[in-house]
Amino acid sequence: MEYTSEVAAQSPSPKSSNSSSSPPPPPPPSTSVVISPCAACKILRRRCADKCVLAPYFPPTEPTKFTIAHRVFGASNIIKFLQGNFQELPESQRADAVSSMVYEASARIRDPVYGCTGAICQLQKQVNELQAQLAKAQAEVVNMQLQQANLVALLCMEVAQSPQQNPHQPINDFLSNSPQSYHSNPSFLDDNNLGSSWEPLWT
């Protein structure tokens, strides 16, 4: 009896064994968001900080943009330029400055001698040619307008110089000439002539 009572006293209750053997509840999942590094930091193989100067202008979806600029200007010069070490650059104009740097770098890669100057000269040449064509077209339009004005003036002069004919003039001439023809040829209405003219019809 004593042995059984000691065993019963030493054995834990089922509730206490279940509570002590249950694992602790898992911690809540972390809500940390993994942000992709910008294209500049990815190409330079460095950690992209939260306030990276290059991130707003070189997104991860446009790696070629930074590759072209980095090939000509270098990463350090681009960072210094954006930070305003070379000259004070307002933040509102930085995006345009980056686009200009990328355009100039791509032009320098295509034409290592002249760079963007050659592209500007070519565009200026096209502008001059188009302006010359426009001036020629405008001169032709003015010439056609002058020819049309001269033609209208000639027509007006001819109409003013020509005599105005009465539409009833031919009838008046016929009526005025008919008595003369009767007096000059009185046998035209003679009875004999009329009879001779109608005689074949009755025979």
Side-chain angles (χ1 to χ4, degrees), residues 11 28 48 84 112 134 172:
S11 62
C48 188
L134 179 61
N172 295 331

Side-chain angles (χ1 to χ4, degrees), residues 6-164:
E6 290 178 359
V7 172
Q10 291 178 0
S11 62
S13 61
K15 292 184 179 180
S16 60
S17 63
N18 292 334
S19 61
S20 61
S21 62
S22 61
S30 60
T31 58
S32 61
V33 179
V34 179
I35 300 176
S36 176
C38 65
C41 295
K42 186 181 294 185
I43 293 173
L44 297 175
R45 296 180 181 180
R46 67 178 189 180
R47 183 176 178 274
C48 188
D50 295 336
K51 295 182 180 180
C52 180
V53 182
L54 303 173
Y57 313 106
F58 300 101
T61 56
E62 298 178 1
T64 309
K65 188 175 180 182
F66 179 77
T67 303
I68 294 173
H70 174 59
R71 183 176 175 182
V72 176
F73 296 102
S76 59
N77 291 329
I78 296 173
I79 294 172
K80 291 177 182 179
F81 185 76
L82 292 176
Q83 289 178 348
N85 294 340
F86 295 147
Q87 60 180 358
E88 292 184 1
L89 185 65
E91 189 174 357
S92 59
Q93 298 179 1
R94 291 182 181 179
D96 296 334
V98 170
S99 299
S100 179
M101 292 174 66
V102 173
Y103 178 80
E104 186 175 354
S106 60
R108 180 66 63 181
I109 293 173
R110 288 195 306 268
D111 189 357
V113 178
Y114 296 103
C116 62
T117 305
I120 293 172
C121 293
Q122 186 68 23
L123 293 174
Q124 188 64 41
K125 182 179 178 181
Q126 294 180 3
V127 169
N128 294 334
E129 292 177 355
L130 292 175
Q131 287 179 350
Q133 294 178 5
L134 179 61
K136 183 178 179 181
Q138 290 177 348
E140 291 178 355
V141 170
V142 172
N143 190 13
M144 293 177 64
Q145 290 177 351
L146 291 175
Q147 291 180 1
Q148 184 179 4
N150 293 333
L151 182 61
V152 172
L154 290 175
L155 291 176
C156 293
M157 290 176 61
E158 290 181 359
V159 171
Q161 291 177 1
S162 61
Q164 296 181 357

